[in-house]
Amino acid sequence: MSKPRDAGLAQPIPSEPLEDLTTGSLTRELSRVEEANLSFYEAFSARDIERMSRIWSKSPHARCVHPGWELVVGWNDIRQSWVEIFRTVSEIDFQLEDVHVEVAGRTAWVNLIAYVHITTDDGEDFDAAVVTTNIYEQLEGQWVLVLHHSSNFADDDGEDEEEEEEYEAEGQNTPGNNEAN
């Protein structure tokens, strides 16, 4: 039988003290994170790698997941991924919706849905919807991006309309419609 551990030895090791956020300072930090996030999308829209470089953490623990891509780790590889995207896109416009910002100490996260219109360098136009989480950490008083994870998002309404069009094209009843042909 093992000897019980002394409860005093199980104390977590304290990290750097986090500033106690009052309502006013929390509101200020939420605004600063929202501004940092908007700066990210402005740099993205402008396809400006220098602005993007100022937004990202240079830490080796920085991560990025573009829709349909594998995980990109570390600033050098993340930077190269943006260079590749910017090289193949001639125009990109974002409409951000359902933006939700949270701050906890020196960490903040933003969840949102981005509706995107893209024109490629080949002249192809397409629209996409992505659900995104951006995580920021506060370094030397500045909020820097440490994780950008964006995944394709299917709008349920759009899927239903496409499904109904397929049924109609095949001469079938739409789901939920019991009328005979």
Side-chain angles (χ1 to χ4, degrees):
M1 182 168 185
S2 64
K3 190 169 149 180
R5 287 176 43 159
D6 182 350
L9 297 177
Q11 298 298 321
I13 299 170
S15 60
E16 288 185 83
L18 298 176
E19 92 180 90
D20 182 25
L21 294 176
T22 63
T23 302
S25 64
L26 177 59
T27 301
R28 182 178 62 249
E29 292 309 313
L30 288 167
S31 294
R32 290 183 64 219
V33 171
E34 190 170 13
E35 288 171 17
N37 199 62
L38 288 174
S39 294
F40 167 75
Y41 283 99
E42 288 168 358
F44 197 164
S45 292
R47 298 175 335 276
D48 186 333
I49 195 62
E50 295 310 315
R51 284 172 61 188
M52 189 66 77
S53 295
R54 289 191 296 270
I55 293 162
W56 274 89
S57 168
K58 305 310 178 283
S59 167
H61 69 262
R63 305 281 193 268
C64 185
V65 180
H66 301 291
W69 289 45
E70 291 186 17
L71 176 66
V72 182
V73 179
W75 170 242
N76 290 334
D77 289 342
I78 292 169
R79 183 185 189 286
Q80 187 57 42
S81 74
W82 289 112
V83 167
E84 290 174 27
I85 289 169
F86 295 164
R87 185 176 41 81
T88 61
V89 171
S90 64
E91 186 176 337
I92 187 164
D93 295 307
F94 292 95
Q95 179 182 342
L96 307 179
E97 294 187 7
D98 298 327
V99 178
H100 183 78
V101 180
E102 290 290 335
V103 173
R106 291 192 177 119
T107 304
W109 56 97
V110 181
N111 298 105
L112 58 88
I113 296 173
Y115 294 94
V116 188
H117 179 79
I118 300 167
T119 304
T120 67
D121 61 347
D122 295 334
E124 294 180 41
D125 286 320
F126 65 94
D127 295 312
V130 294
V131 62
T132 299
T133 300
N134 291 326
I135 299 178
Y136 294 85
E137 67 180 347
Q138 193 176 46
L139 295 175
E140 300 175 9
Q142 179 182 350
W143 289 103
V144 293
L145 192 57
V146 293
L147 176 113
H148 169 73
H149 185 167
S150 197
S151 299
N152 290 321
F153 172 75
D155 188 355
D156 287 340
D157 292 336
E159 283 182 11
D160 291 343
E161 289 173 17
E162 288 176 18
E163 214 172 82
E164 286 179 22
E165 289 173 8
E166 287 176 21
Y167 279 104
E168 289 171 6
E170 295 171 2
Q172 299 178 12
N173 291 331
T174 58
N177 181 355
N178 293 326
E179 292 180 22
N181 286 337

